[in-house]
Amino acid sequence: MEWFDGENIFAVFSTLLGLLTSVGVLWYERRVPRRKRIGYRVQMDTAIGSDVRSGHTNVRLGLFDDDPEMADATLVLLRLENDGSQTIAVDDYTSPDIHGLTVTFTGRTIKGVAVTLPSAARHLMSHFTHARGLRSSGSMLTVPKVPLNKGQHFKLLVLLTGGEVGEEVTVSGGISEGEVVVNRAIAPDEAPPVFSRATRLITVLLTVCVVTLASIILLRDSTRPPIGCAKGELTVIGSTAFRPVAEELEKKYEDDCPGSEITVDLNGSAAGIRELAEAGARRKEGSPAIVALSDGPKSTGYAQLRENRVAVSTFALVVNDGVEVDGLSTSDVREIYRGDITNWQEVGGPDLAVRLVSRNAGSGTRDTFQRRVLQGFEPGASSTDCRRKDDTRARVLRCEFESTEQVLNTVAELPGALGYSELRSAAPTKGLHRLELDGRAPSVDDIAESGYPYREIEYAYTYGRPPASSLGSSFLNYLIRGSGQDVIRTHGYLPCATPEGLKVCAEE
């Protein structure tokens, strides 16, 4: 036997390290005063839906039975308390943001939150407001900077969907000269432990040392991508207006998840829907590795396609800068597209002929414009170059292009031109400006309240439900609930998973 081989040396080192650490912890507990500390614990995590993959079975009645969105609902009761030896003041929170703590419900989406306080701490309820940081977005809940005396606590009852019972719940944040940790205190309804905290900690440390030594023998290359990642190939098709978002999501997902290969090949909303349906029909079983993005809902006849609401898209009418008009009424717009108004003078503009620059058939942006603004179809194309009528019988000069970029460039170059675009795409284009509709400016910030009409939901469609372990399923989760929400916001869209977006997406 080799006494000085690597394993034996590591065994001695691990044992000494465990013993020294244990002694150090005991010394720290006895000699060093306890710091400020917020402890948290999950007191309840239970299924209330009928389709939760883990958790107890249940009987549903009333609201829970009527609402299909509650099929995978769960309830979590989270207790947060000052279990240190010092009072925690508002200024003790180190977060530069308005909130003090962040609660993350891994794999689940927050639908509602209720805060409860002991009767002796009712005065703290004024801290739990939206203005002070009580907000939720996707799987994250931000908690205000609440002052807590020693032993004070509050509870959060959170309604969630998606994911499973028992998935990780974490609380993060900073406390000056303190910490946020899993609560080790004994609740009144719990039996005291057989062993003291120090004894349990020493036992755990020694066990870790032994397990670490044993793992040397069994150690293998276990490099894995981050949680939620999947390997394979995926093609994203559909909306050209959503191209900037799709291309950035492709890069970020591939960077975060090695082994994934995503191809973005956008060809218009209607074309993407048809291609997905055809690819699914060719397969004998399963879902093809395709996600189709669409500006607005799919048309009838595609029963196999599964709908996922992604974000609120805001669109805008755009006009050449030579037309000094800041806004139109929807009735004006309809008259222009019918050919009843053919010169900008008729709506307070210069003496210029109106030229309509539109998207081709199959465009989700065009379909949304027809449904939301015109409430009817656009007239047929009467020009190929947007400068002269090829069809002299047409009442209005109108041309079509295959992409949003072509529409914007033509409107910017052509005097008197009027077109439409996704809001963010129009912003950096020189030579044109956006128009108000019925006195309402196109904006994402107050879309839920303004009533601005030219808006639509961006959908992501799959053929049936892709396997949970597939790249398609992972990418959708990344897009709808994960880091993809930050990308969506950056490009001027409102994610459906946010509280503001949820309201709009539910109404459409």
Side-chain angles (χ1 to χ4, degrees):
M1 180 177 180
E2 294 292 334
W3 290 100
F4 294 99
D5 63 15
E7 292 182 11
N8 288 336
I9 292 174
F10 187 84
V12 174
F13 175 79
S14 298
T15 303
L16 290 176
L17 180 62
L19 291 173
L20 290 174
T21 302
S22 302
V23 172
V25 169
L26 288 173
W27 177 85
Y28 182 88
E29 288 288 332
R30 294 178 178 273
R31 300 292 183 180
V32 180
R34 294 178 66 187
R35 301 183 298 169
K36 298 174 183 178
R37 186 164 68 179
I38 289 182
Y40 68 94
R41 66 167 61 203
V42 175
Q43 290 193 311
M44 178 183 71
D45 189 352
T46 186
I48 60 172
S50 63
D51 191 25
V52 178
R53 285 172 286 174
S54 64
H56 300 295
T57 57
N58 58 82
V59 175
R60 288 149 45 93
L61 185 65
L63 173 63
F64 296 128
D65 191 47
D66 294 338
D67 191 343
E69 292 187 2
M70 303 295 287
D72 58 355
T74 53
L75 273 178
V76 170
L77 180 63
L78 181 67
R79 174 187 172 113
L80 296 95
E81 68 177 312
N82 178 359
D83 65 349
S85 59
Q86 301 180 42
T87 296
I88 296 174
V90 169
D91 292 337
D92 288 328
Y93 293 89
T94 60
S95 170
D97 298 317
I98 190 172
H99 64 271
L101 303 174
T102 300
V103 184
T104 302
F105 299 87
T106 302
R108 290 185 268 187
T109 300
I110 299 170
K111 293 295 184 181
V113 180
V115 181
T116 61
L117 288 164
S119 57
R122 290 176 181 171
H123 61 283
L124 297 179
M125 190 59 78
S126 61
H127 292 270
F128 293 95
T129 64
H130 183 273
R132 295 197 177 188
L134 183 63
R135 304 170 185 177
S136 67
S137 176
S139 62
M140 291 188 296
L141 171 68
T142 57
V143 181
K145 299 176 180 179
V146 183
L148 293 171
N149 294 327
K150 179 183 177 181
Q152 278 189 329
H153 74 274
F154 60 91
K155 295 182 180 182
L156 303 172
L157 183 63
V158 185
L159 175 64
L160 303 149
T161 59
E164 300 180 6
V165 169
E167 287 190 341
E168 185 179 22
V169 178
T170 58
V171 179
S172 59
I175 303 295
S176 178
E177 299 181 357
E179 59 186 347
V180 178
V181 297
V182 177
N183 196 326
R184 306 295 183 183
I186 303 172
D189 56 345
E190 292 181 348
V194 178
F195 301 102
S196 68
R197 181 191 303 173
T199 302
R200 284 180 285 152
L201 182 59
I202 293 172
T203 302
V204 169
L205 289 172
L206 292 176
T207 301
V208 168
C209 292
V210 174
V211 171
T212 301
L213 175 61
S215 67
I216 294 177
I217 302 171
L218 303 175
L219 188 63
R220 291 179 175 86
D221 182 11
S222 58
T223 303
R224 295 181 180 177
I227 294 175
C229 285
K231 296 181 180 180
E233 297 181 356
L234 178 70
T235 301
V236 179
I237 57 178
S239 168
T240 59
F242 212 60
R243 182 187 302 277
V245 180
E247 289 178 343
E248 185 171 345
L249 284 169
E250 170 204 352
K251 295 175 182 177
K252 286 187 174 295
Y253 187 93
E254 289 179 346
D255 289 342
D256 291 343
C257 302
S260 60
E261 184 176 339
I262 301 173
T263 301
V264 175
D265 185 17
L266 304 180
N267 51 354
S269 298
I273 293 295
R274 287 195 303 271
E275 184 177 336
L276 173 62
E278 291 169 0
R282 287 194 298 267
R283 293 175 63 95
K284 294 182 179 180
E285 59 181 16
S287 175
I290 298 175
V291 171
L293 302 173
S294 175
D295 305 329
K298 62 181 175 63
S299 58
T300 57
Y302 296 105
Q304 295 296 327
L305 302 193
R306 183 172 180 267
E307 173 184 295
N308 300 273
R309 299 190 177 197
V310 177
V312 182
S313 300
T314 304
F315 301 87
L317 284 168
V318 292
V319 67
N320 183 274
D321 278 342
V323 179
E324 297 178 354
V325 172
D326 296 325
L328 295 170
S329 67
T330 51
S331 61
D332 288 338
V333 176
R334 291 166 190 165
E335 288 186 59
I336 289 173
Y337 276 80
R338 284 198 305 264
D340 297 336
I341 295 176
T342 58
N343 192 294
W344 286 107
Q345 278 186 323
E346 299 175 62
V347 288
D351 184 12
L352 283 172
V354 176
R355 293 179 171 91
L356 302 181
V357 184
S358 299
R359 290 294 306 281
N360 60 339
S363 161
T365 307
R366 171 178 167 175
D367 182 64
T368 300
F369 177 62
Q370 293 178 149
R371 286 186 292 105
R372 298 284 185 176
V373 181
L374 295 184
Q375 295 183 349
F377 292 102
E378 290 191 53
S382 60
S383 173
T384 55
D385 61 4
C386 298
R387 286 170 171 79
R388 62 182 179 84
K389 286 184 183 179
D390 298 319
D391 181 0
T392 56
R393 297 170 299 175
R395 301 184 65 185
V396 61
L397 188 153
R398 179 179 172 276
C399 59
E400 296 181 355
F401 289 101
E402 294 183 354
S403 71
T404 298
E405 291 80 6
Q406 290 173 308
V407 170
L408 294 174
N409 291 335
T410 304
V411 171
E413 294 172 1
L414 190 63
L418 173 67
Y420 45 78
S421 163
E422 180 271 326
L423 181 62
R424 183 81 173 185
S425 298
T429 305
K430 295 181 180 179
L432 57 77
H433 60 274
R434 295 174 291 193
L435 296 176
E436 293 184 352
L437 272 177
D438 296 328
R440 302 181 180 96
S443 172
V444 176
D445 296 334
D446 60 348
I447 191 68
E449 307 298 334
S450 71
Y452 179 75
Y454 195 8
R455 70 189 191 192
E456 188 53 278
I457 305 301
E458 189 71 27
Y459 292 85
Y461 286 99
T462 57
Y463 192 88
R465 184 187 295 272
S469 59
S470 69
L471 178 55
S473 178
S474 175
F475 182 77
L476 281 176
N477 188 62
Y478 186 87
L479 171 66
I480 298 170
R481 300 183 182 89
S483 301
Q485 291 189 61
D486 296 332
V487 178
I488 290 172
R489 278 191 176 278
T490 300
H491 286 273
Y493 294 85
L494 180 63
C496 285
T498 63
E500 302 91 343
L502 184 63
K503 179 180 178 181
V504 180
C505 293
E507 291 175 353
E508 299 298 330

